Amino acid sequence: MCTQEAFRAQRSQLVGLLVSGSLEGFESVLDWLLSWEVLSWEDYEGLSLLGQPLSHLARRLLDTVWNKGAWGCEQLIAAVQEARAESPPPEQHGHWDPHSPHPTRDLQCHRPAMVRRLYSHVEGVLDLARVQGFISPYECDEIRLPILTSSQRARRLLDLATVKANGLAAFLLQHVRELPVPLTLSVQDAACKKYMSKLRTTVLAQSRFLSSYDGSENLCLEEIYTENVLEIRTEVGMAGPPPKSAATLGLEELFSTRSHLNEDADTVLVVGEAGSGKSTLLQRLHLLWAAGQDFQEFLFVFPFSCRQLQRVAKLLSVRTLLFEHCCWPDVGQQDVFQFLLDHPDRVLLTFDGFDEFRFRFTDHERHCSPTEPTSVQNLLFNLLQGNLLKNARKVLSSRPDAVSPLLRKYVRVELRLRGFSEAGIELFLRRRHREPGLADRLVRLLRAASTLHGLCQLPVFAWMVSRCHRELLLQGGGSPKTTTDLYLLILRHFLLHAALPDAAPRGLGPGLLRGRLPTLLHLGLLALWGLGSSCYVFSDGQLRAAQVDGEDISLGFLVRAKAAVPGSAPPLEFLHVTFQCFFAAFYLALSADVKPSSLRHLFSCRQSGGRPLARLLPTLCVRGSRRQESSVEALLREAELHNLQMTAAFLAGLLSREHRGLLAECQASEKALLRRHACARRCLARSLHKHFHSIPPALPGEAKSMHALPSFVWLIRSLYEMQEERLAQRAVRGLNVGHLKLTFCGMGAAECAALAFVLRHLRRPVALQLDHNSVGDIGVEQLLPCLGVCKALYLRDNNISDRGLCKLVEHALRCEELQKLALFNNKLTDGCAKALATLLGSRQNFLALRLGNNHITAEGAQVLAQGLRANTSLQFLGFWGNKVGDKGAQALAEALGGHQSLRWLSLVGNSIGSVGARALALMLEKNVALEELCLEENRLQDEGVCSLAEGLKRNSSLKVLKLSNNGVTYLGAEVLLQALEKNDTILEVWLRGNTFLPEEMEELSHRDSRLLL
C-alpha cells in the first residue's frame, strides 16, 4: 500500500520515471489511468496538451493524482509499471462487447488495448469512418497531422469518439475488435526480450542527440529536427491519366503502401543530394522507434553506415553483421538469431550513405545462407536483393548518381529528399537560435539575399549560415553568392575560432590564411587521397602518412567517427563529404606538388564508374607530400564522379578572380596559380563545347532540341562558381537550340542561379523546360535574369506557390520574348489569378498558359476571365484538375465567346455540371476559332451533353470534343448524333468511360465513326 506521505517522498523519483522515456510512455500512463477512472475526462484533457514540456506535464499529473487520495497514488504507480512492461497484459475479450449499450464507456475502459490495436491501422479505420459518415474530412485531417505519431493519432480518434454522439464509438468498438492483435513475444522468449531491450536502449543512446557537423555541440534531436521535403517517386510516361504532382510524405509514411515500383522487393530507397539531410532523417527514424513513438511494427532495428562497413575486411555472415557490428546478445544468441530468421517481417535494417560504399552493386554472386560468411559487399547486395532475410525491411540512403538501374530493380519504393522548404529553413533557424530577435534578423537577411536563401534549401548550408551568423550579420559587404563563398566563410569562422583573440577582427586575410597553410594542405592531401581511394574514414596511420597531427585536428574539420570494428580506436572523418571535396580542391589550387595539367581530369565529361583500381586497393597509407604529378592524376581518375564534380566546382570558385587574390598571397608562385586558372578555364570551356556539339541535328521542320546530359548541370555550376561573364558568353556562343530540356535533373534554387548566369548570354530565344525538379519560389527568383531569352518556360511539378508565380509574372511583363508558361502540378491558388490576368491583358503576343492540377477555384477563374477579355493572342489555355466548377466555367465561357485566337481549351476534372455546360454551349455558338475542347472527368451527364449538342449545331470550328467519364447515357449520345448530322467540321467526339451497354456502344459506333467509345 502506498500512503500519500510515501508518494510525496518519492515525488522526484516519480518525475524522473515519467520523463525518462518518451512522450509515448507518458501518454500510455494516461491511458491506463483513464481506463481505471482515476482521471476524469477533464483531468485528461488538461494533461494531454501537445507542445508542453514533459516535465511540466509530469508534475501536473502528480498534483492531480495526489488530490485523488491514497488510492489514486497507488493506481499511478501501477500505471507506470504497466506502461513500462516489456509485453502488455492479455486483453479482456470476455468484457469487450462489440454491441455494448454504452460504447463510449467501454472505449475508455479498454483504451490501452484500443490504442495498441489501432496503432498500425489508423489510416484504414479513418478512411472507413469517413466513408460511412462518422467523421468529416476536416476531422480526418486534424487526426492525420504530420506532427502526430501513430499512437497519438489513435488517441485523437478515440478522443473524438468520446465527444461525438453519432455512433462513432459503437463503430470503433466493433471494428477495432476485428483488427489483428499485434504480435507479442511469448513469456519463454526471455532472451529475445532481453535483447530487444538492450537493442532499443543502444539505438536510443546513439540517436537521441544530433552532433553538429563540427562535433562541437550535441543537440537534442527532438528539439532541433526539422522536416525535409520527402517526395515519393512515381513512374512518368505510363499509360493512364496525367499524373499528379509528386506526393509529399511525412517520415511516418516511409513504409506506406502506395506507388510501389516492385511489390516483391523489400528495400526502401531514399535519395538526396549531398547535405540534403539523409543521415539525419535515418537518425530520426531510429529515435522514433527506440523511444516507442513510431515504427513499432518492427521489434528489431539495426542501423549501419556504409562508409563504416566498407572498412570491414574480414568475411561476414548475417549473424556476425547483426551481433558483432550492431548489438551483441548477452544470452541466448542462437535463440535470438533463430527468432530473427523466423520473423523477418519484424526486422528493419538501415544502411546510410550507399554512395560512399566503394563497391558497385551487382547481382551476379548469389548468397542465401544466413550463417555462411562472405564479403561485406556480397552480404549487403544479397540483403538488398532479398536473398538474405527476405521480408525484412531495408532502408538505403544514397546520392542519386550512385544508384544504378540494376539496383533499382530491387527497390520497393523510391523517395527523394528535397531539402528544406522555405518554412523549413525559417523553422530550423528559429530552433537553432532561441535568443530574442536573433532568428528574426537571420530570416530577414536570407529573404533579402535570395541566392544565399536558395543555398539554404540544403540543411548542410543552413547549418553553415547558422554557425556563421555573427559574421553574416556584422559584415558590411554582400552575402555569399556561391558555395565556394560559403565554405570560405566557414573556413574563416574556424580559423578565427582557433586563432588568438587579438587576431579575430582581421577576418580571413592573407596573414591568417598563410599562418595555417600547412594545416590546410595536410587536410587537403588527406581529402584528395580519400576521394581517390573511396575512403571517408581515416585511421591513425593514414593521418600520420598525410602529416596530419593533433594541431591540424584541433582546427575542427576532422571529427571522431564511430569505430567500425569493436574495440578499435575511433577513426576520424571530415565534417561532411562536401568539406572533404572542398579541402581536396584547396590542395589542388595551392599545392606546389600539383601541376596545372593534372586539372584536366577534373573537368572531363567522363561517365561514372571509372576504373576499378581504387575499389580494389586495400586501405593503404597515404604517400608523403612529395607525390608525383602522375599520382595526383591517378587519384582524380579513380575518384567517384559525384565527388569529382563537387571538387571541380570548388576549384573553379577558388580560382575565380574574387578569391584568386587571397590565395595568391599564400602562394609562393603567382604564375603557378594563374596557370591553374587558365587550365581550369580552358578545360571547362572545352567540356561545354563538347557537350553542345554532341547535340544531334534537328529534324526537318522542327526546332533543334537539347536534353541536357547529367554533366551539364555540374558544368554550369562550375562556371557559376568561377563568376566570369566572358567565359559564360564564350560557353553559350555555340549553343544553337530552340528547346533546352532539363527535366529530372535535380535543379534546385542554386542550380537555377547557375543556369540563369549562363543562359542570359544566349543570342537566340530558347524554350526552357525544367519539369520535375525542385525549383520552388526561391528558384523562380533565381531564374529571372534569363527570362528575357526564354520564349517558353515549363515548370511542371516544382513546388511553386502564388508568391513565386507573382514574381515571375512581374518580370515577364517586361520580357516580350516570353510567350508560353506551363505551371501544372504546383501549388497555385486563386491568389495568383490577378497577376495572370494582368499578364494576359498586357501581352498581346502571349500564346499559351497551362495551369493544370493546381488549386484554382471559381473565384480565381472569374478574375482570370477579366484578363482573357482583353487578350487577343492566346491559343492554348489549360485548366485541368482544378476546382472552377459551374461558376468558373461560366466566367471563362463568357470571356472566350468572342475570342479570335484560342484553339485549345482544357477544363478536365473541374466538377463542371449542366449549368457550366450551358455556358460553354453558348460559347461554342459564338466562337469561331476553338478547335479542341476537353471536358473529361466532369459531371455533365445527359443534360449537359444536350446543351453542348445545341452549341455544336451552330459551331463551325471545333474539331475535337472530349466528353469521357461524364455519366452520359444512350440518351445523351443520341442527341449528340443528331447534332453531328448538322456539323461536318467536328472530327472526333470522345465518349469513353460513360454508361453505355455493350450493344449500345456497338450501335453508336456504327451510326457515326466520329464517336470514340
Side-chain angles (χ1 to χ4, degrees), residues 658-677:
E658 181 177 354
H659 302 308
R660 199 166 64 237
L662 175 66
L663 300 187
E665 295 291 335
C666 306
Q667 174 63 267
S669 172
E670 186 174 350
K671 292 182 179 179
L673 194 61
L674 290 173
R675 283 198 299 270
R676 287 179 171 86
H677 174 258

Side-chain angles (χ1 to χ4, degrees), residues 117-162:
R117 288 282 192 101
L118 279 168
Y119 177 83
S120 299
H121 306 279
V122 178
E123 295 299 318
V125 174
L126 278 176
D127 289 338
L128 189 59
R130 182 174 55 80
V131 169
Q132 296 191 16
F134 291 115
I135 57 177
S136 67
Y138 171 77
E139 290 167 334
C140 214
D141 291 341
E142 285 293 301
I143 294 172
R144 283 175 166 151
L145 287 174
I147 62 171
L148 300 178
T149 66
S150 296
S151 298
Q152 289 171 332
R153 291 174 183 175
R155 292 185 179 97
R156 281 278 180 104
L157 180 56
L158 294 175
D159 295 347
L160 184 64
T162 302

Side-chain angles (χ1 to χ4, degrees), residues 30 213 223 240 325 376 556 703 961:
L30 297 184
Y213 287 103
E223 294 178 0
H325 293 273
V376 66
L961 176 61

Side-chain angles (χ1 to χ4, degrees), residues 122 313 493 562 592 711 785 903:
V122 178
H493 176 87
K562 298 173 185 176
S711 57
R903 293 162 46 194

Side-chain angles (χ1 to χ4, degrees), residues 594-600 629 671-672 675-676 679-680 683:
V594 178
K595 294 185 178 179
S597 58
S598 304
L599 305 184
R600 68 181 186 274
E629 178 262 347
K671 292 182 179 179
R675 283 198 299 270
R676 287 179 171 86
C679 180
C683 294

